[in-house]
């Protein structure tokens, strides 16, 4: 295996430090929100937040931008004091681990899939300091499954954003959540 062989990342193991849950805006989809609601019983308005261009750094042309009045924002997990993810427990564990967003399941990897959906390449995302270990046992199949799930979910959600952004409806945060069916109509 060469020094640049991506398969070495299959030995990655999270040490549970919680760094990736601090100061990071975690973009979520309506499927993520539904999974969290189903698993926890919480109202989406308790944990969803819309971050504007001053709070998040993504490309101006990103399909994740949601039009809200004269501004635009992305839908993400709310922060609590810190800033830290609303679901980060005092012991640095995820309080909704079984229901967590797909992007959290894929983190800390940047995964490139082939046209057929196989893992072609992996790198580690360096957004935050990650004191990981190298004694893990990830499989290429497992990583590929999560990456394909994330891609399908993101494509579906950004398609809904595109429809919303073209529409002539009231462009409010609750309006967007209603449009997605995440909160009841008035």
């Amino acid at each position: 295996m060469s020094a640049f062989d991506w398969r070495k990342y299959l030995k990655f193991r999270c040490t549970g430090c919680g760094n990736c849950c601090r100061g990071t805006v975690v973009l979520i989809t309506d499927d993520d929100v539904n999974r969290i609601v189903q698993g926890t019983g919480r109202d989406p308005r308790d944990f969803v937040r819309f971050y504007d261009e001053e709070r998040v750094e993504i490309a101006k042309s990103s399909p994740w931008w949601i039009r809200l009045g004269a501004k635009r924002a992305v839908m993400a997990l709310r922060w609590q004091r810190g800033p830290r993810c609303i679901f980060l427990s005092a012991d640095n564990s995820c309080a909704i681990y079984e229901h967590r967003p797909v992007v959290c399941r894929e983190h800390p990897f940047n995964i490139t899939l082939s046209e057929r959906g196989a893992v072609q390449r992996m790198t580690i995302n360096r957004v935050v300091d990650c004191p990981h270990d190298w004694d893990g046992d990830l499989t290429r199949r497992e990583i590929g499954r999560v990456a394909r799930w994330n891609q399908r979910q993101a494509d579906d959600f950004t398609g809904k954003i595109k429809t919303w952004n073209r529409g002539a409806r009231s462009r409010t945060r609750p309006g967007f959540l209603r449009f997605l069916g995440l909160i009841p109509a008035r």
Side-chain angles (χ1 to χ4, degrees):
M1 184 163 43
S2 74
F4 298 106
D5 191 338
W6 63 266
R7 289 173 286 203
K8 68 182 178 184
Y9 296 121
L10 295 176
K11 293 293 185 186
F12 176 93
R13 183 177 60 81
C14 173
T15 58
C17 70
N19 287 356
C20 55
C21 304
R22 289 186 187 83
T24 305
V25 176
V26 176
L27 303 186
I28 54 176
T29 69
D30 54 329
D31 286 345
D32 290 324
V33 174
N34 278 321
R35 195 171 41 263
I36 294 168
V37 168
Q38 296 289 320
T40 67
R42 292 185 68 169
D43 187 300
R45 292 166 284 203
D46 291 344
F47 61 87
V48 171
R49 176 156 181 207
F50 292 88
Y51 292 89
D52 63 26
E53 294 177 83
E54 295 173 12
R55 299 290 302 225
V56 66
E57 293 182 31
I58 62 172
K60 300 279 185 201
S61 60
S62 172
W64 287 81
W65 289 115
I66 303 159
R67 279 199 200 155
L68 299 169
K71 294 189 176 200
R72 61 187 192 159
V74 294
M75 189 168 80
L77 289 178
R78 181 180 298 278
W79 282 350
Q80 59 186 347
R81 62 199 163 343
R84 49 189 270 159
C85 175
I86 191 168
F87 295 116
L88 182 62
S89 299
D91 67 352
N92 290 327
S93 67
C94 178
I96 60 163
Y97 189 79
E98 293 301 317
H99 315 291
R100 71 195 184 280
V102 179
V103 71
C104 296
R105 296 164 194 257
E106 191 173 314
H107 187 79
F109 302 114
N110 297 314
I111 301 167
T112 303
L113 298 173
S114 71
E115 287 184 22
R116 293 183 166 195
V119 176
Q120 200 168 32
R121 185 168 186 265
M122 284 173 48
T123 59
I124 291 186
N125 184 327
R126 301 286 183 192
V127 172
V128 296
D129 182 38
C130 180
H132 55 278
D133 278 329
W134 290 108
D135 58 357
D137 61 351
L138 300 171
T139 66
R140 187 175 183 173
R141 177 173 285 179
E142 173 187 3
I143 293 292
R145 184 189 62 76
V146 171
R148 288 186 300 276
W149 179 17
N150 195 13
Q151 188 62 55
R152 282 190 308 273
Q153 187 172 281
D155 289 348
D156 181 57
F157 183 62
T158 56
K160 291 173 185 175
I161 292 171
K162 188 174 184 177
T163 300
W164 165 266
N165 287 346
R166 282 193 306 240
R169 69 193 61 74
S170 169
R171 296 182 197 275
T172 64
R173 288 161 173 78
F176 184 68
L177 294 176
R178 278 192 288 280
F179 167 76
L180 295 173
L182 297 173
I183 63 174
R186 291 183 219 181

